[in-house]
């Protein structure tokens, strides 16, 4: 579909939406129904709403409806308030943007309007540092050459300035004509592709001949960008409001389900099914008791037979359903959301993850998945800018069969190269010329006439800087000309065409015309496999192949440079085809690539450049630590295979030790590649676990494998601890992540550039590095950090602690709900299975909302072992990777504990207060007190580190329980009147509490003691090592404890079972 934008035509300006931006989710009128609808889409909320509605039926409810309606309304209010606050902030942001003042030009008259009043076809006039209000086609600038500079960081995260040029059709328009221009822009319907704009433009008479002119993204100014270093610019609005490319890119990211969330959902379903069984069984026996015993009791007052025949089938089971509904904790989601929000803040506040070099803190953009960091199994990392500094320096080069670069690897100081330049060696001069001209670099002159360069690619910046240091300096450049200064003399070149770099072509070229001679030259640079096959027939390229191989083995990035003369007739014919391809609105990119291929042939290869990109500080140590933690690390890069292998050796990704082996998956044909894949798979299957195996493959091999043998490669990926994937496109990076996810592994992808965004978004966890390539990866990621070395702390410290805390909070939430529910069930056997509640409504509501919710939040600050110990023994991460703390087995332990504690509380309470003198409310309060005492000790025992907030929340809440109930006992209108006063004055009450704690916690303490003594876990041993200061009595001595710890940790991977993957897919591929 196409859009026709008529410039300065009032009759068509209302055909499309205005420029009003709206990012709000709600309106004043639809907030309540829409928010309620969204909240009730969740199963748990639907369940509790059903329970709350049933409690309104007075005939069946054993407690006041407030016990469910109260907590439910509080939860809804908290969630709705958060949504309303977020949406209000979005409204204020939209209002500020919509009411910003903008200059519009109409019939030559400049007038100021609000940004929201812009319509498609209007001509917008911008001044330096203005924010661009909508998507514009540039038609004029203050620069005589028709260029302007824009900062696109707010759109794509890239911090370097971009050059934008006016289309040739409007190059000769005066300022007066720009205000009166008429024409039409033929463009696609709105889309979110910020790197592509395939359109055409015609200007109407009398201004210019009715000629079609192709438009690209370089002729546009996109919304949210800023005009820089340009006095003014004007453009035609083509997309406005939420239809701009920026607006179409907005939208809430798909929520990610963590492994812990998946387990909690499954446990909730299991508890629900258990609850249904309990309700049916108790309902059946309740009806049976009614007929055998209940009808004989005159005081029970059952309905008369025949008046309510449905009573037997519904009333008693429904009463038990309401009584048992507390089995599923109503507050678990709010509690976990609050805890996860705090986890995210811990990451934001971590000073040890602050990058002082770039003044960049760590940031958590996704507050819901912190615990997944502690279960990461595969890390897929970009190389350039992620493992390396992305500070490119030209270190070596090979020109005309001669390699330059001294022992220090600095070609700038090589006397032979300096002499070759002084003697005007034609190949060397041409080599430097290609370095200086074949790029998209923007030279910027300062006030003192020094020249600096702005480049989208760090490689290009390194080449241009190296050429300048070798006296071939690019001093100025605009859309049509470039000026070179060589040895004090200036040379002017006309820029005829730019054949832009693409990941498919892997090269770029420029067509230039020498100002003095009029000769037309094609200058090209690109990857060796993309350029060397296009060498002119007869040229010997073996030396360049050997040079590229040698440089890549040194870990250097290589590029080949070439050129050829173009006849004017050849260029004119090609230019015509290029113009036609550029004007095509259908499949333009493919057609342009085909035309470029036809010109980039018979090249005279000039040489090879070798650029160094040093490793970041701490990368080798970080990768070693992560691998020791049981995490498999893969490197995905666009570099040559040998370069990638060398970097892999330098950063501890692979080693040269005897027990290591690197399996190459390659070949000259499809059959060779598939055979090498099967051979590598066979070797990995038959190799012992002690051998460190890795594989290496390139993008072409991966393309063939995914087409013909994806299942074999998936099995290989599951067996591989290390993978080096080179010559990868952005799509292939994302495909590799998808393969590991489909096999059921929890993946983390980390990168720093726009080409890593697809991989980052595909992974379970995306981490972006705020690097020299900009912020695009960081903005697309769940977490952003300043350096790769901070990844170890993000995973081992924040991820592991978050997982441990979430495991406890979720299972404790079920425990405290099951505890009170089991007591209710036991009481049912003393109350004729009638569904009567032991606890009053106030106690039940306070139990859910106050008494048990605050103590559990102390775990947010808990650390089972110190950060230093975690870093010293990173293998401990295997426990969280395998889901050892949150799985059906551990939940059964909590289930059993809740049942046992319920038995203890119930029988001690009944034994002490079952005589005729005791009131029902006394019995209820004693049982409730027993629950509160037990839970205080449970949380205390499971807390590993104590801080003042923890002590205050646990025991302060314990004291608050008595304070609140003493106050309630002083109110005559309440059922609790005088109850707590009487109990506190009775020795039997305090004896009952002491006995409850002793009987309830005694076996738990004893079990833990003997287990730690005779069968300690790795965490127990680490705690002993921390506490012993070199002397461990229970294990004999420190060395034996450490030896036992080593055996436990090294054996962890061998005994992984079904609990190892608490989340992931239930597909057949996930089975190992």
């Amino acid at each position: 579909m196409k859009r026709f934008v008529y410039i300065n035509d009032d009759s068509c300006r209302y055909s499309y939406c205005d420029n009003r931006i709206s990012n709000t989710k709600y309106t004043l009128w639809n907030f309540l129904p829409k928010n309620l609808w969204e909240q009730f889409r969740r199963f748990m909320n639907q369940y509790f709403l059903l329970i709350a509605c049933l409690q309104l039926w007075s005939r069946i409810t054993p407690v006041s409806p407030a016990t469910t309606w109260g907590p439910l309304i509080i939860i809804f209010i908290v969630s709705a308030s958060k949504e309303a606050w977020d949406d209000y902030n979005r409204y204020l942001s939209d209002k500020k943007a919509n009411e910003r003042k903008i200059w519009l030009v109409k019939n030559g008259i400049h007038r100021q309007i609000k940004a929201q009043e812009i319509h498609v076809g209007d001509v917008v006039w911008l001044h330096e540092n203005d924010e661009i209000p909508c998507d514009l086609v540039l038609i004029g600038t203050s620069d005589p050459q028709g260029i302007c500079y824009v900062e696109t960081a707010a759109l794509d995260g890239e911090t370097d300035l971009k050059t934008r040029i006016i289309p040739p059709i409007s190059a000769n328009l005066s300022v007066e004509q720009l205000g009166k221009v008429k024409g039409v822009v033929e463009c696609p319907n709105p889309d979110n592709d910020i790197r592509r704009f395939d359109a055409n433009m015609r200007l109407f008479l009398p201004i210019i001949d009715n000629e079609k002119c192709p438009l690209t993204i370089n002729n546009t100014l996109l919304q949210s960008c800023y005009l820089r270093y340009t006095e003014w610019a004007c453009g035609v609005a083509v997309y406005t409001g939420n239809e701009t490319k920026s607006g179409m890119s907005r939208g809430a990211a798909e929520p990610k389900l963590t492994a812990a969330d998946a387990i909690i959902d499954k446990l909730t379903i299991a508890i629900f099914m258990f609850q249904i069984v309990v309700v049916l069984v108790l309902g059946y026996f309740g009806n049976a008791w009614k007929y055998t015993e209940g009808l004989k009791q005159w005081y029970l007052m059952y309905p008369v037979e025949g008046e309510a025949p449905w009573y037997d089938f519904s009333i008693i089971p429904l009463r038990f359903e309401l009584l048992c509904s507390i089995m599923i904790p109503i507050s678990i989601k709010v509690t976990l959301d609050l805890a996860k929000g705090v986890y995210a803040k811990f990451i934001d506040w971590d000073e040890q993850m602050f990058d002082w070099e770039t003044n960049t803190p760590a940031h958590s953009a996704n507050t819901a998945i912190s615990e997944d960091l502690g279960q990461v199994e595969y890390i897929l990392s970009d190389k350039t800018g992620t493992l390396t500094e992305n500070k490119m320096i030209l270190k070596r080069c090979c020109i005309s069969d001669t390699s330059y670069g001294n022992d220090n690897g600095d070609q700038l100081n090589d006397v032979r190269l300096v002499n070759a330049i002084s003697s005007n060696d034609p190949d060397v001069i041409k080599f430097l010329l290609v370095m200086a001209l074949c790029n998209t670099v923007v030279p910027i002159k300062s006030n003192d006439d020094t020249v600096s360069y702005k480049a989208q690619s760090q490689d290009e910046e390194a080449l241009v800087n190296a050429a300048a240091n070798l006296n071939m300096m690019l001093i100025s450049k605009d859309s049509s000309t470039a000026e070179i200064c060589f040895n004090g003399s200036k040379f002017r070149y006309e820029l005829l065409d730019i054949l832009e770099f693409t990941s498919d072509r892997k090269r770029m070229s420029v067509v230039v015309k020498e100002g003095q001679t009029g000769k037309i030259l094609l200058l090209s640079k690109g990857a060796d496999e993309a350029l060397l096959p296009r060498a002119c027939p007869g040229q010997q390229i073996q030396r360049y192949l050997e040079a590229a191989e040698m440089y890549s083995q040194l870990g250097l990035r290589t590029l080949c440079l070439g050129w050829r003369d173009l006849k004017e007739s050849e260029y004119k014919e090609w230019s015509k085809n290029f113009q036609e391809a550029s004007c095509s609105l259908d499949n333009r990119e493919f057609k342009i690539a085909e035309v470029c291929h036809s010109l980039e042939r018979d090249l005279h290869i000039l040489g090879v450049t070798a650029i160094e990109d040093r490793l970041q500080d701490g990368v080798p140590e970080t990768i070693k630590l992560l691998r020791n933690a049981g995490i498999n690390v893969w490197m995905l890069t666009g570099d040559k295979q040998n370069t990638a292998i060398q970097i892999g050796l330098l950063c501890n990704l692979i080693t040269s030790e005897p027990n290591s082996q690197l399996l190459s998956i390659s070949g000259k044909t499809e059959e060779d590649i598939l055979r090498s894949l099967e051979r590598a798979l066979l070797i990995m299957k038959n190799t012992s676990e002690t051998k460190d195996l890795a594989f290496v493959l390139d993008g072409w091999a991966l393309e063939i494998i995914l087409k013909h043998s994806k299942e074999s490669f998936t099995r290989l990926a599951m067996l591989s601890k290390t993978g080096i994937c080179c010559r990868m496109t952005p799509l292939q990076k994302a495909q590799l992540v998808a393969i590991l996810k489909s096999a059921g592994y929890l993946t983390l992808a980390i990168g720093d550039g726009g080409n890593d965004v697809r991989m980052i978004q595909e992974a379970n966890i995306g981490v972006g590095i705020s690097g020299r390539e900009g912020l695009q990866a960081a903005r697309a990621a769940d977490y952003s950090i300043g350096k790769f070395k901070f990844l170890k702390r993000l995973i081992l410290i924040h991820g592991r602690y978050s997982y441990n805390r979430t495991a406890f909070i979720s299972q404790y939430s079920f425990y405290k709900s099951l505890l009170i529910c089991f007591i209710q069930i036991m009481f049912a056997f003393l109350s004729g299975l009638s569904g009567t509640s032991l606890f009053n409504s106030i106690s039940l509501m306070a139990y859910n909302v106050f008494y048990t919710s605050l103590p559990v939040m102390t775990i947010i600050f808990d650390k089972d072992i110190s950060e230093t110990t975690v870093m010293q023994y990173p293998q401990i991460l295997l426990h969280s990777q395998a889901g050892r703390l949150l799985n059906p087995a551990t939940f059964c332990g909590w289930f059993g504990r809740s049942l046992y504690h319920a038995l203890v509380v119930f029988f001690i309470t009944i034994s002490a207060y079952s005589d005729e003198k005791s009131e029902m409310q006394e019995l209820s309060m004693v049982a409730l007190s027993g629950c509160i005492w037990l839970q205080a000790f449970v949380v205390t025992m499971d807390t590993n580190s104590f801080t003042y907030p923890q002590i205050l929340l646990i025991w302060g809440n314990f004291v608050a329980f008595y304070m609140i109930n003493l106050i309630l006992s002083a109110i005559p209108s309440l059922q609790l009147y005088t109850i707590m006063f009487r109990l506190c004055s009775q020795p039997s009450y305090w004896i009952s509490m002491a006995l409850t704690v002793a009987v309830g916690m005694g076996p738990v303490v004893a079990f833990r003691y003997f287990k730690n003594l005779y069968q300690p876990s790795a965490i127990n041993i680490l705690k002993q090592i921390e506490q012993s200061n070199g002397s461990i009595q229970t294990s004999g001595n420190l060395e034996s404890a450490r030896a036992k710890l080593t055996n436990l940790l090294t054996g962890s991977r061998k005994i992984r079972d079904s609990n190892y993957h608490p989340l992931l897919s239930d597909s057949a591929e996930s089975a190992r």
Side-chain angles (χ1 to χ4, degrees), residues 364-385:
S364 174
N366 190 336
T367 61
I369 62 172
S370 295
E371 62 267 28
D372 261 1
L373 288 167
Q375 296 191 276
V376 170
E377 298 166 282
Y378 276 83
I379 293 176
L380 297 97
S381 173
D382 175 45
K383 182 184 78 69
T384 305

Side-chain angles (χ1 to χ4, degrees), residues 304-317:
V304 179
E305 287 290 337
E307 292 183 4
W310 42 265
Y311 184 87
D312 293 345
F313 305 100
S314 60
I315 296 299
I316 293 181

Side-chain angles (χ1 to χ4, degrees), residues 395-396 404-416:
K395 302 296 287 185
R396 295 176 182 268
Y404 297 100
N406 55 29
D407 293 337
N408 294 325
D410 191 348
Q411 50 81 213
L412 300 179
N413 296 327
D414 194 315
V415 176
R416 295 174 300 155

Side-chain angles (χ1 to χ4, degrees), residues 1006-1072:
F1007 174 78
R1008 289 190 178 183
Y1009 174 78
F1010 287 109
K1011 186 176 186 298
N1012 293 345
L1013 184 64
Y1014 297 107
Q1015 195 179 2
S1017 67
I1019 294 176
N1020 296 140
I1021 295 176
L1022 287 175
K1023 288 179 181 178
Q1024 293 177 31
I1025 291 175
E1026 285 185 338
Q1027 298 166 4
S1028 67
N1029 294 322
S1031 176
I1032 302 181
Q1033 302 299 326
T1034 57
S1035 299
N1037 54 60
L1038 184 62
E1039 293 304 321
S1040 65
R1042 285 178 172 163
K1044 192 169 186 179
L1045 173 67
T1046 302
N1047 291 333
L1048 284 171
L1049 293 177
T1050 54
S1052 292
R1053 189 174 289 275
K1054 297 180 183 179
I1055 59 173
R1056 286 180 173 176
D1057 53 17
S1058 59
N1059 294 330
Y1060 176 54
H1061 288 286
L1063 165 63
L1064 304 169
S1065 68
D1066 296 325
S1067 64
E1069 290 183 28
S1070 67
R1072 244 150 287 170

Side-chain angles (χ1 to χ4, degrees), residues 452-472:
S452 61
Y453 300 106
K454 284 286 188 180
Q456 299 180 35
S457 164
Q458 303 301 322
D459 296 88
E460 288 190 340
E461 185 177 352
L463 292 178
V464 174
N465 277 318
N469 291 330
L470 293 170
N471 297 328
M472 184 72 72

Side-chain angles (χ1 to χ4, degrees), residues 149 441-445 451-454 474-478:
Y149 302 105
V441 171
V442 178
I444 298 177
K445 271 192 178 181
V451 179
S452 61
Y453 300 106
K454 284 286 188 180
L474 175 65
I475 57 176
S476 68
K477 188 178 184 181
D478 56 40

Side-chain angles (χ1 to χ4, degrees), residues 728-840:
M728 292 286 120
T729 65
L731 175 61
Q732 288 177 321
K733 290 181 179 183
Q735 287 174 330
L736 287 171
V737 174
I739 286 173
L740 291 171
K741 282 179 64 180
S742 70
Y745 290 101
L746 204 152
T747 59
L748 181 149
I750 179 170
D752 73 315
N755 60 337
D756 302 317
V757 168
R758 294 182 72 168
M759 169 180 74
I760 286 172
Q761 292 178 333
E762 178 67 33
N764 298 100
I765 304 169
V767 178
I769 290 183
S770 304
R772 289 171 61 85
E773 289 190 30
L775 302 173
Q776 190 172 0
R779 287 180 171 172
D782 301 302
Y783 301 92
S784 62
I785 54 179
K787 292 284 190 296
F788 183 85
K789 65 182 179 181
F790 299 137
L791 190 62
K792 63 185 176 185
R793 186 168 177 82
L794 185 67
I795 292 175
L796 294 175
I797 302 300
H798 292 285
R800 184 180 173 277
Y801 285 155
S802 296
Y803 169 76
N804 290 355
R805 294 160 180 167
T806 297
F808 179 85
I809 290 172
S810 56
Q811 293 176 113
Y812 172 85
S813 296
F814 280 105
Y815 157 80
K816 55 102 171 177
S817 295
L818 288 168
L819 171 62
I820 205 79
C821 188
F822 283 144
I823 294 174
Q824 295 272 51
I825 292 172
M826 293 174 193
F827 180 72
F829 289 94
L830 295 185
S831 57
L833 292 169
S834 59
T836 302
S837 175
L838 171 63
F839 303 101
N840 61 65

